[in-house]
């Protein structure tokens, strides 16, 4: 998403790095899609709603939401023209008529006031330098009684066993870099407070734990697949050789866990829901 500052600038990636990041984001969306469908339903998404997927990336999740709608529709918005082109290409292949995409800013959406019933923002707020500005804009485009649902991480809820010291070193370094670039890797725990300050009501925070044993019907994804969810700092490596070196060392050391009879890793996804009680213009 476009904002004056922020810690994720996809379009500055080039060549193979950009291609690999696109593939990782698609993979991440596919792995978590089943869980996210549960999140939408429990948050109150219904088949007739007008939906905004804010920070839609390559559009995999937007498509899944569109497939759950009957008379409803969805617009996906992302700051990256490359992401939006990828999303449009996916949609063209699926011939979906209730889904559109546009390049735009989370702080100044090109959408009418009170035009959405449901706003979904996944893994976006960790990268925003001014989350309250984005929440004000979400509040503007939501109808009175409309629902906001935010899904994001908190790095303190990421863990490996046996411990991997180089991952701890890497996370500490990346936390500093992300904060310098305007992001917040501990945003998950703060989202409920942000919604309260913005004036939303009926706020509820819950946490889903994703682990290397996570999977449907008791079939875990395995540690190798779990590690593939992570970028190991790709978002912060541009022009930063230290981030690249530390990230590659952490990835190599984490991969050594695959040689053990059993190793475990997990992270927490914070899910925060609220209802818009504001009336535009009053």
């Amino acid at each position: 998403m476009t904002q004056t500052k922020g810690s994720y600038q996809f379009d500055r990636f080039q060549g193979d790095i950009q291609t690999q990041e696109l593939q990782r984001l698609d993979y991440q969306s596919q792995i978590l899609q089943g869980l996210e469908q549960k999140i939408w339903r429990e948050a109150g998404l219904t088949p007739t709603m007008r939906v905004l997927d804010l920070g839609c990336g390559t559009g995999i999740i937007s498509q899944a939401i569109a497939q759950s709608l009957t008379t409803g529709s969805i617009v996906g918005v992302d700051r990256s023209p490359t992401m939006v082109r990828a999303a449009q290409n996916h949609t063209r292949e699926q011939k979906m008529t209730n889904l559109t995409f546009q390049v735009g800013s989370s702080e100044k959406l090109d959408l009418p006031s009170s035009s959405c019933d449901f706003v979904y923002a996944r893994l976006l707020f960790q990268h925003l330098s001014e989350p309250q500005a984005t929440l004000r804009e979400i509040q503007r485009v939501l109808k009175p009684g409309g629902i906001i649902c935010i899904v994001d991480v908190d790095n303190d809820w990421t863990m490996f066993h046996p411990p991997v010291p180089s991952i701890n070193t890497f996370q500490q370094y990346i936390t500093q870099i992300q904060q310098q670039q305007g992001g917040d890797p501990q945003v998950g725990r703060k989202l409920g407070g942000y919604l309260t300050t913005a004036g939303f009501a009926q706020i509820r925070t819950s946490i889903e734990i994703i682990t290397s044993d996570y999977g449907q019907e008791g079939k875990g994804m395995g540690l190798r697949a779990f590690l593939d969810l992570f970028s190991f700092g790709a978002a912060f490596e541009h022009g930063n050789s230290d981030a690249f070196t530390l990230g590659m060392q952490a990835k190599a050391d984490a991969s050594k866990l695959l040689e053990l009879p059993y190793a475990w890793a997990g992270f927490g996804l914070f899910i925060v829901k609220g209802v818009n009680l504001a009336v535009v213009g009053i």
Side-chain angles (χ1 to χ4, degrees), residues 78-92:
D78 200 277
R79 67 159 299 176
S80 165
T82 304
M83 291 278 203
V84 170
R85 283 194 297 270
Q88 289 170 334
N89 288 337
H90 286 317
T91 304
R92 194 174 297 115

Side-chain angles (χ1 to χ4, degrees), residues 223-255:
L223 184 59
R224 186 183 301 276
F226 180 89
L227 293 175
D228 288 341
L229 293 172
F230 295 88
S231 70
F232 286 95
F236 313 107
E237 291 169 3
H238 183 74
N240 190 322
S241 59
D242 289 340
F244 178 80
T245 300
L246 291 171
M248 290 303 96
Q249 185 63 59
K251 185 174 184 179
D253 290 347
S255 297

